[in-house]
Amino acid sequence: NRHHTHTTPTTNNKNKTTIKMSDNKLRCALVYRLESSGPSDSGESGIALSNLSGNCTLLAKYDHASDYEGSGGGGGLYGDRDKNYAEAVGMVVGNDPPSGLGEEGVIGGFKICISDAHQVIYGADSDGLCLAIVTGLKYPSRTAISMLTELYTPYSEQFALQAKSATTNSLTKKSKKILSQLCTKYDDSTKVDKASALNSKVEAVQATMQDNIAAMLKNTEQAESLAERSNQLNEQANVFQKKSKDLKKQMRCKNIKMTIILVTLVVGVLVIILVPLIVRAKNAAKGGRMLRGFLEEIGEA
């Protein structure tokens, strides 16, 4: 299915507030009938692209977002435009209706209108039955088109004939069950779209990898800090070892000096004590010899 994407600028009036839906939420589903200004050029059933009048009739709407936005008090689907969102989407569809509606019984001509607040995805069949959904900006358009394609078969089987002549909003109550079921099913795009689920897993892995890389960088910084501190400690240890060797040499020199001083003192004390004793002993020995000689001389006389 080919589809076209175009953007629509969003203007805010002073008394209106537009909520920017930069998320992946499914907001609402709508059904329109594309109006033709005349019969098909070929005379066959269906509408001709050249005969589209640019108008469309709202047949049904389902505000899926009301369950989780409307309960907040003033936080509805489009802020102050809650009652007119279907009309706003109808203007988008009417101004740029789906194209390439050639095959009967098949929805196609998908288009995506992206604004700064939301995105509208819609398509139609050759009879002018147009299905549209409004989503957040991050909701995958591929998943949205899959939803419209799945919705088309049961909806056209039940309401195709009524849709051709139904009045404005006359099918809303009858369509609520089927619209709510599909909206509930496609509310979480990752559960119905393998690519979206894979993208979510990839994003989770990326987030985990980023956390791991951040942790590794932090650990690297801590390791570098520890290495730097280790180097500083090694340098301090080397300085301490050098100083300890110098101190050991100094203490050894002091010990040698103290030993020399003590030996000198001991020798000096011994000299002081022994020399007088030796001198006295010598003198005593000399006096004894003189006395013996004197006594010997007296005895001979």
Side-chain angles (χ1 to χ4, degrees):
N1 291 325
R2 294 181 300 174
H3 63 273
H4 302 278
T5 304
H6 62 279
T7 58
T8 300
T10 300
T11 56
N12 296 333
N13 296 330
K14 293 182 178 180
N15 297 325
K16 294 183 178 181
T17 302
T18 300
I19 300 176
K20 186 173 182 180
M21 299 187 294
S22 58
D23 53 42
N24 60 348
K25 294 184 180 297
L26 176 63
R27 303 290 168 156
C28 63
L30 308 103
V31 182
Y32 296 91
R33 181 180 64 243
L34 302 180
E35 303 295 348
S36 175
S37 59
S40 172
D41 294 338
S42 62
E44 299 177 355
S45 61
I47 60 175
L49 294 178
S50 58
N51 291 333
L52 289 177
S53 63
N55 296 323
C56 60
T57 300
L58 173 68
L59 302 179
K61 62 180 179 179
Y62 174 67
D63 184 3
H64 182 62
S66 61
D67 293 338
Y68 55 85
E69 288 188 347
S71 61
L77 185 61
Y78 294 118
D80 294 335
R81 297 176 61 184
D82 286 350
K83 297 182 180 180
N84 299 325
Y85 73 89
E87 180 181 350
V89 175
M91 291 177 61
V92 172
V93 175
N95 291 334
D96 188 15
S99 57
L101 311 179
E103 188 175 354
E104 186 177 356
V106 177
I107 188 172
F110 296 104
K111 291 190 175 181
I112 304 171
C113 177
I114 300 175
S115 71
D116 60 352
H118 57 270
Q119 60 179 349
V120 180
I121 304 95
Y122 56 98
D125 64 5
S126 58
D127 290 326
L129 179 62
C130 178
L131 305 179
I133 58 173
V134 179
T135 70
L137 296 175
K138 294 182 180 180
Y139 194 91
S141 59
R142 175 183 59 258
T143 307
I145 293 174
S146 298
M147 175 184 171
L148 294 177
T149 303
E150 183 177 346
L151 173 62
Y152 173 76
T153 299
Y155 195 90
S156 61
E157 290 176 353
Q158 294 184 40
F159 302 107
L161 294 178
Q162 299 180 52
K164 293 181 179 180
S165 59
T167 58
T168 301
N169 208 25
S170 61
L171 298 180
T172 294
K173 291 184 179 180
K174 296 179 180 180
S175 305
K176 182 177 180 180
K177 181 178 180 180
I178 188 171
L179 294 179
S180 64
Q181 287 177 348
L182 265 295
C183 286
T184 301
K185 178 179 179 180
Y186 280 84
D187 182 65
D188 187 353
S189 62
T190 60
K191 294 182 179 180
V192 292
D193 185 74
K194 293 182 179 180
S196 297
L198 181 60
N199 288 335
S200 298
K201 291 181 180 179
V202 170
E203 291 177 356
V205 172
Q206 288 178 342
T208 302
M209 290 298 295
Q210 289 176 354
D211 293 340
N212 291 338
I213 291 173
M216 289 176 62
L217 291 175
K218 186 176 181 180
N219 292 335
T220 302
E221 292 177 356
Q222 292 178 350
E224 291 177 352
S225 177
L226 290 175
E228 184 177 355
R229 292 180 60 185
S230 177
N231 292 333
Q232 292 178 353
L233 291 175
N234 288 334
E235 292 178 358
Q236 293 177 358
N238 292 333
V239 172
F240 178 78
Q241 186 176 7
K242 184 178 179 181
K243 288 184 177 180
S244 64
K245 289 181 179 180
D246 294 339
L247 181 61
K248 188 176 181 180
K249 290 180 180 180
Q250 292 177 2
M251 293 301 296
R252 187 181 299 170
C253 293
K254 288 183 178 180
N255 290 335
I256 292 173
K257 290 179 180 179
M258 291 298 296
T259 302
I260 293 172
I261 292 173
L262 289 175
V263 171
T264 303
L265 288 174
V266 171
V267 171
V269 170
L270 291 175
V271 169
I272 293 172
I273 295 173
L274 294 176
V275 168
L277 292 176
I278 292 172
V279 171
R280 288 180 183 177
K282 287 182 177 182
N283 292 333
K286 185 178 180 180
R289 286 195 300 270
M290 291 178 64
L291 179 60
R292 285 195 298 272
F294 179 73
L295 292 174
E296 288 177 357
E297 288 179 358
I298 294 175
E300 290 178 355

